[in-house]
Amino acid sequence: MAATTLQAWRAQLLRFDAQGTPLYDSDGLLVTAEGADGRRRVVDAGSHAAVAARHPGVPVQELPGRLIAPGFIDMHVHYPQTDIIGAPAEGLLPWLEHYTFPAEAAFADPAHAAEVAGFFFDELRRNGVTTALTFCTSHPASVDAFFQQAQARGLRMIGGKVLQDRHSPDGVRDQTEQSLLDTEALIARWHGQGRLGYAITPRFAPSCSDAQLQGAAELARRHPDTWIQSHVAENQDEVRWVRALYPQARSYLDVYQRFGLLRERAVYAHCIHLDEADRRLMHETQTAAAVSPTSNLFLGSGFFDYYAAARAHMLHGLASDVGGGTSFSPFHTMLAAYFVGREGQSKLGLSLKPSELWWQHTGGAAQALGLAGVVGTLQPGSEADFIVLNPKATPLLTRKTERAQNLEELLFALIVLGDDRVVERTVIA
């Protein structure tokens, strides 16, 4: 790389190694360089004294009192639900009926889809989120708007057209054969274009016919580097519905397994009401869970069992699940995950370390998405998506962070007291 492409930033610096161990420098230096593909990648990172000596003469942007950290990764979010955050409902299924489906029907209009997508990406960036695995709607126009807006911003984003050919109202229900043809055309148009990736997206088993699920699995086999995303075991009423629809299946998760929809780069949101056999299956197939604590608390769905997930070595990471989720802020998501850890199904209680929560929203999420080494850690060679945080963004944060005795105390103060005001700048590779 030509020396003239090098750029460095000096601040407190948080990184992670491949195992999720936090690496922290109170006076750090992050050096990046632009590659032939136009993407900026990390060249070197560590203490200022050591890294500066290896790169003399590199222009440095001084950021006193700030903390540089990897950009956050949201493993499950619905961009068309941006406008229904905080919609009151008795539970998941009434919420879908009264708010979600009517809102999503409007995304047949390309202009509406583009306007919401633009706002959605601006909101993600304002909150320090640089990568997300995203549901669009059943309308191809919603997918085109999503990718067009992401591409214009240079973001690494993954999304897909929702598949739902049954048990869905007019306006969002699609046609089986056409939905699969549309999906294949969208994969050809967008997957692998720059930093964009396509996710084959059955909404959830009750909304998809057997033919649609079989078609989705066939597309996944033909395009093995795409993602798969759906929902599983979020709500007890939903679990009972699936049991009635698929009495031959051992469990809700087993429905997807029978159709061949569990594999690496497959991500299932929620995963609350699973048993040990389900968790072993997720581990064996390298299928990941997107943990959505603010959504699960808001809709009264239940608690993700962190203890059981760790015991089964299940891949998992954090997600906002907007609009069931109540905030785009990763700080709010991490705090809710901390609460949920203490109330997991094991009833043993678990106090998740602040750095572990942070890992689940950065490098751990990247690992679960099959993007280890690409984003989420600020290790050399990774793409330079990072955020500049102000630990003194509010008077209370100033008091608290000034009293932090170590990294865990600093990160926990940000998790408990932080919001979008902490994110001073989001830098995209």
Side-chain angles (χ1 to χ4, degrees):
M1 293 180 182
T4 54
T5 70
L6 292 175
Q7 175 67 49
W9 287 264
R10 182 180 184 179
Q12 299 174 70
L13 180 60
L14 173 66
R15 299 163 290 136
F16 291 94
D17 68 14
Q19 289 71 47
T21 303
L23 307 171
Y24 173 71
D25 297 282
S26 59
D27 182 13
L29 193 66
L30 177 72
V31 181
T32 70
E34 186 176 325
D37 58 2
R39 298 181 204 171
R40 190 162 285 277
R41 291 178 171 82
V42 177
V43 172
D44 204 351
S47 72
H48 176 265
V51 175
R54 293 194 289 267
H55 303 279
V58 173
V60 176
Q61 184 167 346
E62 302 278 350
L63 299 167
R66 303 307 189 258
L67 172 66
I68 288 175
F72 289 112
I73 298 169
D74 191 334
M75 283 189 64
H76 175 67
V77 61
H78 298 253
Y79 99 81
Q81 296 176 15
T82 297
D83 293 330
I84 60 168
I85 295 174
E90 295 175 0
L92 171 65
L93 299 181
W95 180 78
L96 289 171
E97 178 184 355
H98 297 302
Y99 293 102
T100 305
F101 293 149
E104 291 191 6
F107 283 77
D109 177 5
H112 176 71
E115 189 277 326
V116 177
F119 181 88
F120 171 80
F121 286 124
D122 290 346
E123 196 69 8
L124 286 187
R125 187 164 181 168
R126 197 169 62 81
N127 282 278
V129 177
T130 54
T131 293
L133 178 61
T134 308
F135 272 55
C136 301
T137 70
S138 56
H139 314 96
S142 75
V143 186
D144 288 330
F146 172 82
F147 284 125
Q148 287 162 359
Q149 294 288 333
Q151 190 173 57
R153 291 163 169 78
L155 296 166
R156 176 169 286 283
M157 286 288 155
I158 309 163
K161 171 193 146 40
V162 167
L163 301 172
Q164 53 181 121
D165 65 351
R166 66 169 181 168
H167 298 144
S168 303
D170 292 345
V172 295
R173 187 178 59 255
D174 56 16
Q175 299 299 314
T176 309
E177 184 178 359
Q178 189 61 48
S179 73
L180 300 171
L181 292 171
D182 288 341
T183 296
E184 186 134 50
L186 289 163
I187 291 171
R189 185 148 67 244
W190 293 112
H191 184 63
Q193 297 299 310
R195 305 181 77 201
L196 306 178
Y198 195 88
I200 297 163
T201 308
R203 184 173 211 113
F204 64 156
S207 73
C208 301
S209 67
D210 288 4
Q212 195 173 54
L213 289 173
Q214 288 165 355
E218 176 56 33
L219 286 171
R221 283 190 290 273
R222 289 208 298 271
H223 304 280
D225 63 338
T226 58
W227 283 261
I228 298 168
Q229 61 177 343
S230 192
H231 302 85
V232 70
E234 176 179 1
N235 171 277
Q236 291 283 20
D237 289 340
E238 169 206 19
V239 171
R240 284 189 284 269
W241 189 16
V242 172
R243 188 179 299 121
L245 291 171
Y246 295 96
Q248 76 282 10
R250 191 198 66 78
S251 68
Y252 190 166
L253 186 71
D254 184 51
V255 173
Y256 296 115
Q257 170 70 349
R258 286 166 178 254
F259 284 102
L261 289 166
L262 303 185
R263 62 158 167 83
E264 188 178 359
R265 289 196 170 194
V267 177
Y268 285 82
H270 307 297
C271 299
I272 297 171
H273 306 289
L274 302 183
D275 60 19
E276 292 305 308
D278 288 329
R279 295 185 183 94
R280 283 196 301 273
L281 180 59
M282 291 194 72
H283 169 67
E284 289 163 2
T285 58
Q286 292 298 284
T287 299
V291 184
S292 309
T294 69
S295 171
N296 300 152
L297 292 169
F298 177 69
L299 292 171
S301 300
F303 302 108
F304 181 81
D305 193 334
Y306 275 102
Y307 183 84
R311 190 172 59 225
H313 304 289
M314 251 174 67
L315 288 168
H316 60 280
L318 286 173
S320 70
D321 192 26
V322 163
T326 54
S327 177
F328 283 99
S329 172
F331 301 110
H332 292 185
T333 301
M334 289 187 286
L335 181 58
Y338 179 79
F339 295 151
V340 165
R342 292 189 177 279
E343 283 289 338
Q345 292 172 351
S346 66
K347 298 304 180 187
L348 298 177
L350 184 66
S351 185
L352 293 164
K353 290 175 60 178
S355 60
E356 184 178 353
L357 291 165
W358 214 286
W359 165 251
Q360 288 177 15
H361 230 335
T362 55
Q367 197 174 80
L369 287 171
L371 292 173
V374 179
V375 288
T377 62
L378 295 183
Q379 286 297 309
S382 66
E383 294 174 350
D385 286 341
F386 64 90
I387 51 179
V388 179
L389 304 178
N390 180 6
K392 298 183 178 181
T394 70
L396 183 55
L397 255 178
T398 300
R399 283 181 70 88
K400 186 63 179 175
T401 56
E402 283 178 346
R403 288 163 171 75
Q405 299 297 306
N406 52 51
L407 176 64
E408 297 296 342
E409 289 186 4
L410 173 63
L411 296 182
F412 202 47
L414 292 168
I415 288 169
V416 173
L417 300 174
D419 54 30
D420 56 286
R421 290 171 292 180
V422 172
V423 183
E424 195 166 89
R425 184 177 174 189
T426 302
V427 179
I428 303 299

